[in-house]
Amino acid sequence: MLSLLMILLSSAVTNNILLTNYLGLCSFLSVSREIKTSVGLGAAVAFVMSVTATLNWVVYYKILVPFGLEYLSYIVFIMVIAAFVQITEMILERFSEHLYNALGIFLPLITVNCAIMGASLFMIIRKYSLLHTLFYGLGSGLGWMFAILLMAGIRQKMVRSRVPRGLAGAGITLIIAGCMALAFIGFNGMIPV
Amino acid sequence: MNAVFLHITIFTALACGLALFMIIADFFIGDYGQAVITVNNSKKLEVEAGSTLLSVLKGQKIFIPSACGGRGSCGLCKVKIISGAGDYLATELPWISADEKKSGIRLSCQVKVRRNLEIEIPESLFNIHEYRARVESIRNLTYDIKEIKISLPEEEQINFKAGQFMQIETPVYELTAQPVYRAYSIASSPGQKNSVEFEIRLVPGGICTTYIHKHLKIGDTVTLNGPYGDFFVRPGQKKIIFIAGGSGMAPIKSMLADMVLQKNTRQAVYFFGARTQKDLFLTDEIRTYENRLAFRFIPALSSPEPGWKGESGLITEVVDRYIQNGPEYEAYLCGSPGMINACVSVLVKKGVSEKEIYFDKFG
């Protein structure tokens, strides 16, 4: 039980998938302009990440390993993620227009988000169990949401600051992300992985 | 060998399984059933729900202008939705002003049809269609003006007001690397609904006119869309002045044919300006309207050869001679910008109200 909590916290904070592995950067840069849209995207990432990591665990250990197909894991994971995102989008659109407007329009962006793929690959390397994987996926997703929310907050405050023209937009955002990553390293050692 | 076969089978099964799952999901979840779109409070369209309003309307042969093809990047496909659209999407907001938001203007390529909708679109859009049609005949009217008759597919019809124009597509050929559209006035009568005629003058170096004059053959298929434009005869009682030059003949000819159809009894006079006798065309056909309408046709040549019995001089001078009491008239002009500007000032000088001078300038 303790190990589950540990995985959740470490993946969300000390080993934040965005700030320590720098995964999922493209949507992080492009959508972090407003807090409201960041919440939507972050929540969608957290949801998709926890479900797809778990699904991929099942696919990997129950189908790929028994047949010695581990070398196909990349392409199979991508297929599973794409199919899951598509179906989620369909379900949201059909049954909850409100949720679809808030989250659903971000789903197509997530299909190709490397953080989602990264979580599925890390859980294999780290030899997590099914339950561990669920918590790891959830933790990583929440961590990603946390990071994009922080960035959106900073960027909203920055609207009025004078950024050198060459750095405006993605440039300054990457620098800020770097500073945030440094700060997050400070959490290291608080929770061992 | 066996292992390779097994791996391929398992991988294929996995991929097919996922695909099958998605197809089944799409079949049950993606099926929104039918919806009714009420257009302008009158027309009811029964449609398959589930896709965007833009594509649903296109399926119903209502063409909302759109340049980007529904990706939400041009902002042209605006439609007023009265009810049934749901909230604004993040993808629409960059294109919608505060005023438009208040009146319910939406991007039709982003709004999905999920339930019954009530929408409002300009009446003229109903009429705009794209046609793939066949060139029926081509004939020379003068040395540089050809008349092209285009037959629409049998089951299709066109409804237009006399004086409106259509856009004809020029496909890729030696002068252009991508299809281009140019506008040409319809010369035929609005009563003729299964075909349209154009009078097209060869512009040296012009992409479309060169194509039409040098490459287009009888039996070819052309793509055209329309009708567009607000150059048409307004209702009223005033006497009408028509003035045209060159292929500006086309919309005026259509208007005259329409006046016969409408049994219009208004007095009308038509000044047609040309340089020499070989620039004149369809003179006899236009003259026949003098028997069918309260109409007079006055062709005028600016450089007449000896033996010309009609009017001579610049078209502005001829108009100046004939029109006495300006306020009795309204005027319809079609031709080159230079000719139109000169004629407008003469007409205004004669007392025709500037608001009642309508024209179609060749761009």
Side-chain angles (χ1 to χ4, degrees):
Chain A
M1 194 57 218
L2 193 64
S3 68
L4 288 182
L5 202 63
M6 210 72 112
I7 286 180
L8 183 73
L9 280 180
S10 69
S11 56
V13 185
T14 52
N15 275 13
N16 188 300
I17 198 162
L18 203 157
L19 293 172
T20 57
N21 297 104
Y22 256 51
L23 288 177
L25 265 186
C26 31
S27 33
F28 175 74
L29 291 180
S30 57
V31 186
S32 59
R33 226 162 288 170
E34 268 178 57
I35 291 191
K36 208 175 144 201
T37 42
S38 301
V39 177
L41 183 64
V45 166
F47 170 70
V48 171
M49 205 181 264
S50 36
V51 180
T52 54
T54 316
L55 276 179
N56 279 336
W57 189 94
V58 176
V59 169
Y60 187 79
Y61 287 107
K62 299 300 167 191
I63 300 174
L64 298 186
V65 174
F67 292 104
L69 281 165
E70 293 94 332
Y71 66 91
L72 285 178
S73 57
Y74 276 72
I75 190 161
V76 172
F77 286 174
I78 290 177
M79 286 186 339
V80 171
I81 292 169
F84 176 76
V85 169
Q86 279 287 316
I87 288 172
T88 315
E89 194 187 351
M90 273 186 228
I91 294 174
L92 276 188
E93 197 179 347
R94 182 82 168 110
F95 297 110
S96 167
E97 207 183 317
H98 183 71
L99 207 59
Y100 177 75
N101 286 349
L103 290 188
I105 46 174
F106 299 110
L107 284 173
L109 296 176
I110 296 180
T111 321
V112 287
N113 187 319
C114 42
I116 308 270
M117 182 70 178
S120 289
L121 295 171
F122 280 139
M123 64 90 182
I124 306 275
I125 298 173
R126 295 179 184 170
K127 302 197 167 54
Y128 285 143
S129 73
L130 180 61
L131 213 53
H132 283 155
T133 302
L134 177 62
F135 276 78
Y136 172 69
L138 183 63
S140 299
L142 289 177
W144 198 92
M145 183 176 175
F146 183 41
I148 196 172
L149 272 181
L150 286 178
M151 178 56 89
I154 295 173
R155 284 183 77 173
Q156 276 196 345
K157 292 265 182 234
M158 270 183 32
V159 171
R160 273 183 229 148
S161 52
R162 259 187 276 159
V163 179
R165 200 195 296 165
L167 278 179
I172 195 73
T173 312
L174 275 173
I175 292 176
I176 296 170
C179 298
M180 283 166 64
L182 282 174
F184 268 65
I185 290 179
F187 291 121
N188 260 338
M190 282 170 62
I191 311 168
V193 189
Chain B
M1 193 60 210
N2 251 345
V4 173
F5 192 64
L6 183 72
H7 285 191
I8 293 173
T9 317
I10 291 172
F11 181 73
T12 316
L14 211 58
C16 291
L18 281 174
L20 192 70
F21 186 60
M22 291 198 51
I23 292 169
I24 294 171
D26 189 41
F27 186 75
F28 286 108
I29 302 169
D31 179 18
Y32 286 79
Q34 301 278 314
V36 177
I37 301 180
T38 314
V39 183
N40 296 357
N41 222 349
S42 56
K43 209 168 173 182
K44 287 194 190 311
L45 308 169
E46 280 222 11
V47 297
E48 204 62 47
S51 41
T52 65
L53 182 60
L54 181 70
S55 63
V56 166
L57 288 179
K58 196 172 179 187
Q60 298 291 319
K61 307 251 179 241
I62 298 177
F63 293 87
I64 309 291
S66 157
C68 67
R71 291 195 308 265
S73 61
C74 70
L76 282 180
C77 60
K78 286 177 185 167
V79 161
K80 181 171 179 175
I81 303 187
I82 298 160
S83 71
D87 289 336
Y88 277 89
L89 300 177
T91 40
E92 289 174 84
L93 291 177
W95 308 105
I96 307 285
S97 71
D99 278 351
E100 289 175 327
K101 208 169 169 182
K102 254 181 243 158
S103 54
I105 306 282
R106 305 288 301 256
L107 282 196
S108 63
C109 69
Q110 300 300 310
V111 175
K112 292 226 172 138
V113 180
R114 295 203 181 84
R115 61 188 90 80
N116 295 352
L117 281 177
E118 265 184 273
I119 66 174
E120 239 173 57
I121 50 185
E123 206 62 45
S124 57
L125 279 183
F126 280 122
N127 252 331
I128 297 177
H129 297 294
E130 183 166 88
Y131 302 92
R132 301 218 4 103
R134 190 177 160 279
V135 178
E136 177 83 27
S137 67
I138 300 177
R139 75 177 162 133
N140 289 325
L141 296 178
T142 69
Y143 61 97
D144 68 348
I145 298 180
K146 277 185 197 287
E147 179 194 78
I148 314 289
K149 181 173 180 183
I150 294 173
S151 301
L152 307 182
E154 235 166 74
E155 69 281 6
E156 291 189 69
Q157 287 203 338
I158 180 166
N159 289 303
F160 64 95
K161 293 185 184 166
Q164 288 192 300
F165 63 88
M166 293 186 84
Q167 292 191 313
I168 302 183
E169 185 199 75
T170 300
V172 172
Y173 81 113
E174 64 218 42
L175 286 188
T176 173
Q178 63 216 40
V180 289
Y181 281 91
R182 291 287 186 275
Y184 297 101
S185 296
I186 305 170
S188 46
S189 156
Q192 177 183 320
K193 293 190 185 298
N194 193 242
S195 62
V196 279
E197 288 160 28
F198 299 95
E199 285 157 9
I200 297 169
R201 195 172 73 89
L202 177 65
V203 179
I207 292 174
C208 278
T209 60
T210 308
Y211 178 78
I212 288 165
H213 273 253
K214 305 269 192 260
H215 296 266
L216 200 65
K217 295 186 298 295
I218 292 174
D220 282 359
T221 301
V222 289
T223 305
L224 64 172
N225 58 53
Y228 304 93
D230 48 12
F231 182 61
F232 45 79
V233 175
R234 305 300 194 271
Q237 290 309 317
K238 288 200 167 176
K239 298 180 190 170
I240 298 173
I241 305 172
F242 294 116
I243 304 177
S247 55
M249 168 72 87
I252 310 294
K253 183 180 155 217
S254 181
M255 287 171 170
L256 291 172
D258 191 46
M259 286 177 76
V260 174
L261 278 184
Q262 308 293 334
K263 305 200 165 55
N264 196 325
T265 53
R266 288 165 78 177
Q267 273 197 42
V269 55
Y270 179 12
F271 300 95
F272 182 76
R275 227 164 54 80
T276 61
Q277 226 155 330
K278 69 184 169 96
D279 293 305
L280 284 178
F281 58 98
L282 295 178
T283 311
D284 296 335
E285 189 180 334
I286 300 297
R287 284 227 188 279
T288 62
Y289 288 106
E290 293 186 332
N291 305 325
R292 295 190 270 173
L293 296 168
F295 172 72
R296 220 175 139 200
F297 181 44
I298 302 167
L301 298 183
S302 58
S303 332
E305 292 95 344
W308 167 248
K309 294 197 186 70
E311 287 296 332
S312 48
L314 288 174
I315 191 75
T316 42
E317 297 162 7
V318 181
V319 171
D320 193 41
R321 256 178 267 145
Y322 273 82
I323 302 302
Q324 297 314 327
N325 192 3
E328 284 178 4
Y329 291 93
E330 64 185 29
Y332 297 87
L333 283 58
C334 186
S336 65
M339 184 210 95
I340 288 185
N341 294 340
C343 289
V344 168
S345 37
V346 170
L347 290 171
V348 170
K349 202 180 78 195
K350 287 276 170 184
V352 182
S353 159
E354 212 166 344
K355 274 188 224 137
E356 289 172 326
I357 302 176
Y358 305 93
F359 50 77
D360 190 356
K361 270 185 207 178
F362 299 162

